[in-house]
Short mmCIF file of all heavy atoms in Angstrom, two decimals:
data_model
loop_
_atom_site.label_atom_id
_atom_site.label_comp_id
_atom_site.label_asym_id
_atom_site.label_seq_id
_atom_site.Cartn_x
_atom_site.Cartn_y
_atom_site.Cartn_z
N MET A 97 -25.36 29.60 25.23
CA MET A 97 -25.39 28.16 25.36
C MET A 97 -24.27 27.60 24.44
O MET A 97 -24.19 27.90 23.30
CB MET A 97 -26.73 27.63 24.94
CG MET A 97 -26.81 26.16 24.95
SD MET A 97 -28.31 25.64 24.14
CE MET A 97 -29.11 24.71 25.31
N ASN A 98 -23.44 26.74 24.99
CA ASN A 98 -22.32 26.15 24.28
C ASN A 98 -22.77 24.74 23.79
O ASN A 98 -22.98 23.89 24.60
CB ASN A 98 -21.07 26.07 25.16
CG ASN A 98 -19.87 25.58 24.42
OD1 ASN A 98 -19.91 25.31 23.24
ND2 ASN A 98 -18.79 25.48 25.15
N LEU A 99 -22.83 24.56 22.45
CA LEU A 99 -23.26 23.29 21.93
C LEU A 99 -22.12 22.31 21.63
O LEU A 99 -22.35 21.19 21.29
CB LEU A 99 -24.06 23.52 20.67
CG LEU A 99 -25.36 24.26 20.85
CD1 LEU A 99 -26.02 24.51 19.52
CD2 LEU A 99 -26.34 23.56 21.82
N SER A 100 -20.86 22.76 21.79
CA SER A 100 -19.73 21.90 21.47
C SER A 100 -19.54 20.90 22.64
O SER A 100 -19.72 21.27 23.81
CB SER A 100 -18.47 22.67 21.21
OG SER A 100 -18.12 23.38 22.37
N PRO A 101 -19.16 19.69 22.34
CA PRO A 101 -18.95 18.70 23.42
C PRO A 101 -17.73 19.05 24.29
O PRO A 101 -16.75 19.63 23.76
CB PRO A 101 -18.75 17.38 22.67
CG PRO A 101 -18.33 17.81 21.31
CD PRO A 101 -18.92 19.15 21.05
N THR A 102 -17.84 18.77 25.51
CA THR A 102 -16.69 19.05 26.44
C THR A 102 -15.61 18.00 26.30
O THR A 102 -14.41 18.31 26.43
CB THR A 102 -17.16 19.09 27.86
OG1 THR A 102 -17.79 17.86 28.20
CG2 THR A 102 -18.14 20.23 28.06
N ASN A 103 -15.92 16.76 25.99
CA ASN A 103 -14.95 15.70 25.82
C ASN A 103 -14.83 15.42 24.33
O ASN A 103 -15.66 14.69 23.75
CB ASN A 103 -15.35 14.42 26.51
CG ASN A 103 -15.40 14.62 28.03
OD1 ASN A 103 -14.69 15.50 28.52
ND2 ASN A 103 -16.20 13.86 28.73
N THR A 104 -13.84 16.01 23.68
CA THR A 104 -13.68 15.75 22.23
C THR A 104 -12.87 14.52 22.04
O THR A 104 -11.98 14.18 22.80
CB THR A 104 -12.98 16.93 21.58
OG1 THR A 104 -11.71 17.14 22.16
CG2 THR A 104 -13.80 18.21 21.69
N VAL A 105 -13.23 13.79 21.02
CA VAL A 105 -12.52 12.54 20.65
C VAL A 105 -11.68 12.84 19.43
O VAL A 105 -12.20 13.32 18.40
CB VAL A 105 -13.53 11.42 20.35
CG1 VAL A 105 -12.80 10.14 19.88
CG2 VAL A 105 -14.35 11.15 21.58
N HIS A 106 -10.40 12.57 19.54
CA HIS A 106 -9.51 12.80 18.36
C HIS A 106 -9.73 11.73 17.36
O HIS A 106 -9.62 10.53 17.66
CB HIS A 106 -8.08 12.87 18.81
CG HIS A 106 -7.12 13.01 17.66
ND1 HIS A 106 -6.99 14.16 16.96
CD2 HIS A 106 -6.24 12.10 17.10
CE1 HIS A 106 -6.13 14.03 16.01
NE2 HIS A 106 -5.65 12.78 16.08
N ARG A 107 -10.03 12.13 16.13
CA ARG A 107 -10.22 11.16 15.06
C ARG A 107 -9.15 11.52 13.99
O ARG A 107 -9.16 12.61 13.46
CB ARG A 107 -11.62 11.29 14.48
CG ARG A 107 -12.66 10.82 15.45
CD ARG A 107 -14.07 10.88 14.78
NE ARG A 107 -15.05 10.34 15.71
CZ ARG A 107 -15.70 11.06 16.62
NH1 ARG A 107 -15.45 12.35 16.76
NH2 ARG A 107 -16.56 10.46 17.41
N PRO A 108 -8.29 10.56 13.70
CA PRO A 108 -7.24 10.81 12.70
C PRO A 108 -7.83 11.10 11.33
O PRO A 108 -8.87 10.49 10.93
CB PRO A 108 -6.42 9.56 12.69
CG PRO A 108 -7.27 8.48 13.22
CD PRO A 108 -8.20 9.18 14.16
N THR A 109 -7.22 11.99 10.64
CA THR A 109 -7.66 12.28 9.27
C THR A 109 -7.30 11.13 8.37
O THR A 109 -6.49 10.25 8.73
CB THR A 109 -7.05 13.58 8.75
OG1 THR A 109 -5.64 13.39 8.70
CG2 THR A 109 -7.37 14.78 9.66
N GLU A 110 -7.77 11.17 7.16
CA GLU A 110 -7.46 10.11 6.22
C GLU A 110 -5.94 10.11 5.94
O GLU A 110 -5.30 9.06 5.84
CB GLU A 110 -8.23 10.29 4.93
CG GLU A 110 -8.00 9.19 3.94
CD GLU A 110 -8.81 9.35 2.66
OE1 GLU A 110 -9.64 10.32 2.56
OE2 GLU A 110 -8.66 8.53 1.74
N GLU A 111 -5.35 11.30 5.81
CA GLU A 111 -3.94 11.37 5.53
C GLU A 111 -3.09 10.72 6.69
O GLU A 111 -2.14 10.00 6.43
CB GLU A 111 -3.46 12.82 5.34
CG GLU A 111 -3.90 13.38 4.03
CD GLU A 111 -3.45 14.83 3.87
OE1 GLU A 111 -2.53 15.23 4.61
OE2 GLU A 111 -3.94 15.50 3.03
N THR A 112 -3.45 10.99 7.90
CA THR A 112 -2.76 10.42 9.00
C THR A 112 -2.94 8.92 9.04
O THR A 112 -1.92 8.20 9.29
CB THR A 112 -3.30 11.01 10.34
OG1 THR A 112 -3.19 12.44 10.27
CG2 THR A 112 -2.50 10.50 11.54
N ALA A 113 -4.13 8.43 8.78
CA ALA A 113 -4.34 6.98 8.73
C ALA A 113 -3.54 6.33 7.66
O ALA A 113 -2.91 5.28 7.86
CB ALA A 113 -5.82 6.72 8.56
N LEU A 114 -3.49 6.93 6.49
CA LEU A 114 -2.69 6.39 5.40
C LEU A 114 -1.20 6.42 5.72
O LEU A 114 -0.45 5.51 5.39
CB LEU A 114 -2.95 7.14 4.10
CG LEU A 114 -4.32 6.90 3.47
CD1 LEU A 114 -4.56 7.85 2.30
CD2 LEU A 114 -4.50 5.47 3.06
N ARG A 115 -0.71 7.50 6.35
CA ARG A 115 0.66 7.61 6.71
C ARG A 115 1.08 6.52 7.71
O ARG A 115 2.10 5.88 7.59
CB ARG A 115 0.96 9.00 7.30
CG ARG A 115 2.41 9.34 7.38
CD ARG A 115 2.70 10.74 7.89
NE ARG A 115 1.77 11.73 7.32
CZ ARG A 115 0.92 12.45 8.05
NH1 ARG A 115 0.89 12.34 9.37
NH2 ARG A 115 0.13 13.34 7.50
N ARG A 116 0.19 6.28 8.70
CA ARG A 116 0.49 5.25 9.68
C ARG A 116 0.47 3.87 9.03
O ARG A 116 1.28 2.98 9.37
CB ARG A 116 -0.51 5.32 10.84
CG ARG A 116 -0.25 6.48 11.74
CD ARG A 116 -1.16 6.49 12.92
NE ARG A 116 -0.91 7.68 13.71
CZ ARG A 116 -1.69 8.03 14.73
NH1 ARG A 116 -2.71 7.31 15.02
NH2 ARG A 116 -1.40 9.12 15.39
N ALA A 117 -0.44 3.65 8.10
CA ALA A 117 -0.54 2.31 7.47
C ALA A 117 0.67 2.11 6.54
O ALA A 117 1.15 0.98 6.41
CB ALA A 117 -1.81 2.25 6.66
N ALA A 118 1.16 3.19 5.94
CA ALA A 118 2.28 3.07 5.05
C ALA A 118 3.58 2.77 5.80
O ALA A 118 4.49 2.15 5.27
CB ALA A 118 2.50 4.37 4.25
N THR A 119 3.66 3.16 7.07
CA THR A 119 4.90 2.92 7.82
C THR A 119 4.85 1.61 8.62
O THR A 119 5.84 1.17 9.15
CB THR A 119 5.17 4.05 8.80
OG1 THR A 119 4.05 4.20 9.70
CG2 THR A 119 5.39 5.36 8.08
N ALA A 120 3.67 0.97 8.63
CA ALA A 120 3.53 -0.32 9.35
C ALA A 120 4.22 -1.45 8.55
O ALA A 120 4.11 -1.46 7.28
CB ALA A 120 2.07 -0.65 9.56
N ALA A 121 4.89 -2.28 9.21
CA ALA A 121 5.54 -3.39 8.55
C ALA A 121 4.50 -4.44 8.10
O ALA A 121 3.70 -4.86 8.86
CB ALA A 121 6.54 -4.07 9.49
N ARG A 122 4.60 -4.74 6.80
CA ARG A 122 3.68 -5.75 6.27
C ARG A 122 4.52 -6.77 5.47
O ARG A 122 5.28 -6.36 4.59
CB ARG A 122 2.68 -5.07 5.30
CG ARG A 122 1.74 -4.14 6.00
CD ARG A 122 0.80 -3.46 5.00
NE ARG A 122 1.43 -2.83 3.87
CZ ARG A 122 1.92 -1.61 3.87
NH1 ARG A 122 1.80 -0.83 4.93
NH2 ARG A 122 2.46 -1.09 2.77
N PRO A 123 4.37 -8.02 5.73
CA PRO A 123 5.16 -9.02 5.02
C PRO A 123 4.61 -9.10 3.56
O PRO A 123 3.43 -8.99 3.31
CB PRO A 123 4.89 -10.32 5.74
CG PRO A 123 3.61 -10.11 6.49
CD PRO A 123 3.53 -8.66 6.80
N LEU A 124 5.54 -9.24 2.66
CA LEU A 124 5.20 -9.37 1.24
C LEU A 124 4.95 -10.81 0.89
O LEU A 124 5.53 -11.72 1.50
CB LEU A 124 6.36 -8.86 0.39
CG LEU A 124 6.62 -7.36 0.44
CD1 LEU A 124 7.88 -6.99 -0.26
CD2 LEU A 124 5.44 -6.58 -0.22
N PRO A 125 4.08 -11.07 -0.09
CA PRO A 125 3.85 -12.44 -0.53
C PRO A 125 5.15 -12.99 -1.17
O PRO A 125 6.02 -12.22 -1.55
CB PRO A 125 2.77 -12.34 -1.54
CG PRO A 125 2.25 -10.96 -1.51
CD PRO A 125 3.23 -10.08 -0.77
N PRO A 126 5.24 -14.33 -1.37
CA PRO A 126 6.41 -14.87 -2.07
C PRO A 126 6.51 -14.32 -3.44
O PRO A 126 5.54 -13.94 -4.11
CB PRO A 126 6.07 -16.38 -2.09
CG PRO A 126 5.07 -16.61 -1.05
CD PRO A 126 4.27 -15.32 -0.90
N VAL A 127 7.76 -14.26 -3.97
CA VAL A 127 8.04 -13.73 -5.27
C VAL A 127 7.27 -14.44 -6.36
O VAL A 127 6.76 -13.80 -7.29
CB VAL A 127 9.56 -13.75 -5.56
CG1 VAL A 127 9.88 -13.27 -6.96
CG2 VAL A 127 10.33 -12.95 -4.51
N GLU A 128 7.12 -15.74 -6.23
CA GLU A 128 6.38 -16.54 -7.23
C GLU A 128 4.94 -16.01 -7.37
O GLU A 128 4.42 -15.90 -8.51
CB GLU A 128 6.39 -18.01 -6.92
CG GLU A 128 7.74 -18.65 -6.94
CD GLU A 128 8.57 -18.39 -5.65
OE1 GLU A 128 7.99 -17.96 -4.64
OE2 GLU A 128 9.79 -18.61 -5.70
N GLN A 129 4.29 -15.74 -6.28
CA GLN A 129 2.92 -15.26 -6.30
C GLN A 129 2.86 -13.86 -6.97
O GLN A 129 1.93 -13.52 -7.70
CB GLN A 129 2.29 -15.22 -4.91
CG GLN A 129 1.97 -16.60 -4.34
CD GLN A 129 1.37 -16.53 -2.95
OE1 GLN A 129 1.22 -15.43 -2.39
NE2 GLN A 129 1.00 -17.65 -2.44
N LEU A 130 3.81 -13.03 -6.61
CA LEU A 130 3.87 -11.70 -7.20
C LEU A 130 4.06 -11.74 -8.69
O LEU A 130 3.48 -10.99 -9.45
CB LEU A 130 4.95 -10.85 -6.52
CG LEU A 130 4.63 -10.52 -5.06
CD1 LEU A 130 5.88 -9.91 -4.37
CD2 LEU A 130 3.46 -9.55 -4.96
N LEU A 131 4.93 -12.65 -9.15
CA LEU A 131 5.18 -12.81 -10.57
C LEU A 131 3.92 -13.32 -11.28
O LEU A 131 3.63 -12.92 -12.42
CB LEU A 131 6.40 -13.66 -10.87
CG LEU A 131 7.73 -13.05 -10.41
CD1 LEU A 131 8.85 -14.02 -10.65
CD2 LEU A 131 7.97 -11.73 -11.06
N ASP A 132 3.19 -14.26 -10.67
CA ASP A 132 1.94 -14.73 -11.23
C ASP A 132 0.95 -13.59 -11.37
O ASP A 132 0.24 -13.44 -12.37
CB ASP A 132 1.32 -15.81 -10.36
CG ASP A 132 2.08 -17.13 -10.45
OD1 ASP A 132 2.85 -17.32 -11.41
OD2 ASP A 132 1.92 -17.99 -9.53
N ALA A 133 0.90 -12.70 -10.32
CA ALA A 133 -0.06 -11.58 -10.37
C ALA A 133 0.42 -10.57 -11.43
O ALA A 133 -0.44 -9.97 -12.14
CB ALA A 133 -0.04 -10.87 -9.02
N LEU A 134 1.70 -10.47 -11.67
CA LEU A 134 2.27 -9.60 -12.71
C LEU A 134 1.82 -10.11 -14.07
O LEU A 134 1.38 -9.35 -14.95
CB LEU A 134 3.78 -9.54 -12.60
CG LEU A 134 4.50 -8.76 -13.68
CD1 LEU A 134 4.06 -7.29 -13.61
CD2 LEU A 134 6.01 -8.89 -13.50
N VAL A 135 1.87 -11.42 -14.29
CA VAL A 135 1.47 -12.01 -15.57
C VAL A 135 -0.03 -11.77 -15.79
O VAL A 135 -0.45 -11.41 -16.90
CB VAL A 135 1.83 -13.50 -15.67
CG1 VAL A 135 1.15 -14.17 -16.83
CG2 VAL A 135 3.32 -13.68 -15.66
N MET A 136 -0.83 -11.95 -14.76
CA MET A 136 -2.30 -11.77 -14.89
C MET A 136 -2.59 -10.29 -15.20
O MET A 136 -3.45 -9.97 -16.05
CB MET A 136 -3.02 -12.16 -13.59
CG MET A 136 -3.07 -13.69 -13.46
SD MET A 136 -4.19 -14.22 -12.12
CE MET A 136 -3.41 -13.53 -10.67
N ALA A 137 -1.92 -9.37 -14.53
CA ALA A 137 -2.13 -7.96 -14.81
C ALA A 137 -1.73 -7.59 -16.26
O ALA A 137 -2.38 -6.83 -16.91
CB ALA A 137 -1.34 -7.09 -13.82
N ASN A 138 -0.67 -8.24 -16.72
CA ASN A 138 -0.21 -7.98 -18.08
C ASN A 138 -1.23 -8.48 -19.11
O ASN A 138 -1.54 -7.81 -20.11
CB ASN A 138 1.15 -8.69 -18.31
CG ASN A 138 1.75 -8.37 -19.65
OD1 ASN A 138 1.39 -7.35 -20.27
ND2 ASN A 138 2.64 -9.19 -20.14
N ARG A 139 -1.81 -9.66 -18.85
CA ARG A 139 -2.80 -10.23 -19.74
C ARG A 139 -4.07 -9.34 -19.81
O ARG A 139 -4.74 -9.28 -20.84
CB ARG A 139 -3.19 -11.61 -19.31
CG ARG A 139 -2.11 -12.63 -19.59
CD ARG A 139 -2.56 -14.04 -19.17
NE ARG A 139 -1.46 -14.97 -19.37
CZ ARG A 139 -1.34 -16.13 -18.75
NH1 ARG A 139 -2.26 -16.49 -17.88
NH2 ARG A 139 -0.31 -16.92 -18.99
N ARG A 140 -4.35 -8.68 -18.71
CA ARG A 140 -5.56 -7.82 -18.67
C ARG A 140 -5.26 -6.41 -19.13
O ARG A 140 -6.20 -5.56 -19.23
CB ARG A 140 -6.09 -7.78 -17.25
CG ARG A 140 -6.64 -9.08 -16.81
CD ARG A 140 -7.35 -9.03 -15.48
NE ARG A 140 -7.98 -10.23 -15.12
CZ ARG A 140 -7.60 -11.03 -14.13
NH1 ARG A 140 -6.62 -10.71 -13.35
NH2 ARG A 140 -8.25 -12.17 -13.88
N GLY A 141 -3.97 -6.08 -19.33
CA GLY A 141 -3.64 -4.74 -19.77
C GLY A 141 -3.70 -3.72 -18.65
O GLY A 141 -3.85 -2.52 -18.90
N ASP A 142 -3.55 -4.20 -17.44
CA ASP A 142 -3.62 -3.36 -16.24
C ASP A 142 -2.21 -2.82 -15.96
O ASP A 142 -1.39 -3.44 -15.30
CB ASP A 142 -4.13 -4.12 -15.04
CG ASP A 142 -4.24 -3.34 -13.79
OD1 ASP A 142 -4.00 -2.12 -13.82
OD2 ASP A 142 -4.54 -3.92 -12.71
N ARG A 143 -1.92 -1.59 -16.43
CA ARG A 143 -0.57 -1.03 -16.30
C ARG A 143 -0.26 -0.70 -14.84
O ARG A 143 0.87 -0.94 -14.39
CB ARG A 143 -0.43 0.20 -17.19
CG ARG A 143 -0.59 -0.16 -18.69
CD ARG A 143 -0.36 1.04 -19.53
NE ARG A 143 1.10 1.26 -19.59
CZ ARG A 143 1.68 2.33 -20.04
NH1 ARG A 143 0.94 3.33 -20.47
NH2 ARG A 143 2.98 2.46 -20.07
N ALA A 144 -1.22 -0.18 -14.11
CA ALA A 144 -0.99 0.13 -12.71
C ALA A 144 -0.72 -1.13 -11.91
O ALA A 144 0.16 -1.21 -11.07
CB ALA A 144 -2.16 0.88 -12.12
N GLY A 145 -1.46 -2.19 -12.19
CA GLY A 145 -1.25 -3.46 -11.51
C GLY A 145 0.12 -4.10 -11.84
O GLY A 145 0.77 -4.65 -10.99
N MET A 146 0.54 -3.93 -13.09
CA MET A 146 1.84 -4.46 -13.53
C MET A 146 2.95 -3.74 -12.75
O MET A 146 3.90 -4.34 -12.26
CB MET A 146 2.05 -4.29 -15.02
CG MET A 146 1.18 -5.26 -15.81
SD MET A 146 1.47 -5.28 -17.62
CE MET A 146 1.84 -3.65 -18.04
N CYS A 147 2.82 -2.42 -12.67
CA CYS A 147 3.82 -1.60 -11.96
C CYS A 147 3.88 -2.00 -10.46
O CYS A 147 4.96 -2.20 -9.93
CB CYS A 147 3.52 -0.12 -12.13
SG CYS A 147 4.74 0.98 -11.50
N LEU A 148 2.71 -2.11 -9.85
CA LEU A 148 2.67 -2.48 -8.44
C LEU A 148 3.28 -3.86 -8.21
O LEU A 148 4.09 -4.04 -7.27
CB LEU A 148 1.22 -2.45 -7.99
CG LEU A 148 0.93 -2.80 -6.53
CD1 LEU A 148 1.57 -1.80 -5.60
CD2 LEU A 148 -0.54 -2.90 -6.26
N CYS A 149 2.91 -4.84 -9.02
CA CYS A 149 3.42 -6.21 -8.87
C CYS A 149 4.90 -6.25 -9.09
O CYS A 149 5.65 -6.96 -8.35
CB CYS A 149 2.69 -7.14 -9.76
SG CYS A 149 0.99 -7.41 -9.36
N ALA A 150 5.38 -5.53 -10.12
CA ALA A 150 6.83 -5.57 -10.39
C ALA A 150 7.63 -4.95 -9.24
O ALA A 150 8.65 -5.48 -8.85
CB ALA A 150 7.09 -4.80 -11.69
N HIS A 151 7.20 -3.84 -8.73
CA HIS A 151 7.88 -3.19 -7.63
C HIS A 151 7.87 -4.05 -6.40
O HIS A 151 8.91 -4.16 -5.67
CB HIS A 151 7.30 -1.83 -7.34
CG HIS A 151 7.71 -0.74 -8.29
ND1 HIS A 151 7.05 -0.58 -9.50
CD2 HIS A 151 8.72 0.15 -8.28
CE1 HIS A 151 7.66 0.41 -10.15
NE2 HIS A 151 8.65 0.83 -9.45
N ARG A 152 6.78 -4.69 -6.11
CA ARG A 152 6.69 -5.54 -4.92
C ARG A 152 7.55 -6.79 -5.10
O ARG A 152 8.14 -7.26 -4.13
CB ARG A 152 5.27 -5.90 -4.61
CG ARG A 152 4.53 -4.73 -4.00
CD ARG A 152 3.20 -5.18 -3.47
NE ARG A 152 2.54 -4.06 -2.79
CZ ARG A 152 1.39 -4.08 -2.28
NH1 ARG A 152 0.68 -5.21 -2.30
NH2 ARG A 152 0.84 -3.04 -1.67
N ALA A 153 7.61 -7.33 -6.29
CA ALA A 153 8.45 -8.51 -6.54
C ALA A 153 9.89 -8.17 -6.32
O ALA A 153 10.65 -8.96 -5.70
CB ALA A 153 8.20 -9.00 -7.96
N VAL A 154 10.32 -6.99 -6.79
CA VAL A 154 11.72 -6.58 -6.58
C VAL A 154 12.02 -6.42 -5.09
O VAL A 154 13.04 -6.87 -4.57
CB VAL A 154 12.01 -5.29 -7.37
CG1 VAL A 154 13.39 -4.73 -6.97
CG2 VAL A 154 11.98 -5.54 -8.83
N ARG A 155 11.05 -5.80 -4.39
CA ARG A 155 11.27 -5.58 -2.94
C ARG A 155 11.32 -6.91 -2.19
O ARG A 155 12.11 -7.16 -1.26
CB ARG A 155 10.16 -4.68 -2.37
CG ARG A 155 10.48 -4.22 -0.99
CD ARG A 155 9.42 -3.28 -0.39
NE ARG A 155 8.75 -2.45 -1.37
CZ ARG A 155 7.53 -2.07 -1.22
NH1 ARG A 155 6.81 -2.40 -0.18
NH2 ARG A 155 6.96 -1.28 -2.13
N ALA A 156 10.42 -7.84 -2.57
CA ALA A 156 10.34 -9.16 -1.90
C ALA A 156 11.63 -9.94 -2.19
O ALA A 156 12.05 -10.78 -1.38
CB ALA A 156 9.14 -9.95 -2.38
N ALA A 157 12.24 -9.73 -3.39
CA ALA A 157 13.44 -10.46 -3.75
C ALA A 157 14.66 -9.87 -3.05
O ALA A 157 15.74 -10.43 -3.12
CB ALA A 157 13.62 -10.45 -5.24
N GLY A 158 14.50 -8.76 -2.41
CA GLY A 158 15.60 -8.12 -1.66
C GLY A 158 16.33 -7.07 -2.40
O GLY A 158 17.37 -6.56 -1.93
N GLY A 159 15.90 -6.66 -3.54
CA GLY A 159 16.55 -5.61 -4.35
C GLY A 159 15.87 -4.24 -4.08
O GLY A 159 14.91 -4.12 -3.43
N GLU A 160 16.46 -3.26 -4.73
CA GLU A 160 15.92 -1.93 -4.67
C GLU A 160 15.42 -1.55 -6.04
O GLU A 160 16.05 -1.82 -7.06
CB GLU A 160 16.98 -0.91 -4.23
CG GLU A 160 17.38 -1.05 -2.79
CD GLU A 160 16.30 -0.55 -1.87
OE1 GLU A 160 15.60 0.42 -2.21
OE2 GLU A 160 16.15 -1.12 -0.78
N VAL A 161 14.30 -0.91 -6.13
CA VAL A 161 13.72 -0.47 -7.38
C VAL A 161 14.64 0.66 -7.90
O VAL A 161 14.98 1.58 -7.15
CB VAL A 161 12.31 0.03 -7.23
CG1 VAL A 161 11.73 0.58 -8.52
CG2 VAL A 161 11.43 -1.10 -6.69
N GLY A 162 15.04 0.55 -9.16
CA GLY A 162 15.88 1.57 -9.71
C GLY A 162 17.37 1.22 -9.69
O GLY A 162 18.18 2.03 -10.11
N GLU A 163 17.73 0.04 -9.20
CA GLU A 163 19.13 -0.35 -9.18
C GLU A 163 19.58 -0.65 -10.60
O GLU A 163 18.80 -1.19 -11.36
CB GLU A 163 19.33 -1.64 -8.33
CG GLU A 163 19.52 -1.41 -6.90
CD GLU A 163 19.88 -2.72 -6.18
OE1 GLU A 163 19.90 -3.77 -6.81
OE2 GLU A 163 20.13 -2.65 -4.96
N PRO A 164 20.82 -0.34 -10.93
CA PRO A 164 21.28 -0.66 -12.30
C PRO A 164 21.57 -2.15 -12.45
O PRO A 164 21.74 -2.90 -11.57
CB PRO A 164 22.59 0.12 -12.41
CG PRO A 164 22.94 0.63 -11.01
CD PRO A 164 21.75 0.42 -10.15
#
């Protein structure tokens, strides 16, 4: 007796879902909002939040992270 279903449904793994979400175009918030979020993260001592906000602010401003 075969207990496996005959019609299998492909379900993407978490890695595949994250990869697809990472390549999807998402508009960034205005630079002013990102800088406000950066200040709030700094006041709370949230280093990961500061890094995220700083990188997104640079990207929203049209620059590249790591430019001299």
Side-chain angles (χ1 to χ4, degrees):
M97 177 191 237
N98 186 2
L99 296 177
S100 63
T102 57
N103 296 334
T104 59
V105 176
H106 176 70
R107 293 183 176 88
T109 62
E110 183 178 357
E111 286 181 16
T112 304
L114 289 173
R115 194 176 320 118
R116 287 184 183 171
T119 58
R122 294 179 308 273
L124 292 169
V127 176
E128 294 80 15
Q129 288 180 357
L130 291 168
L131 293 177
D132 288 342
L134 177 62
V135 169
M136 287 190 297
N138 186 22
R139 287 181 183 159
R140 292 185 175 116
D142 180 5
R143 296 184 78 193
M146 290 186 324
C147 186
L148 180 65
C149 292
H151 283 84
R152 286 190 175 177
V154 170
R155 193 178 327 151
E160 290 289 325
V161 176
E163 274 188 356

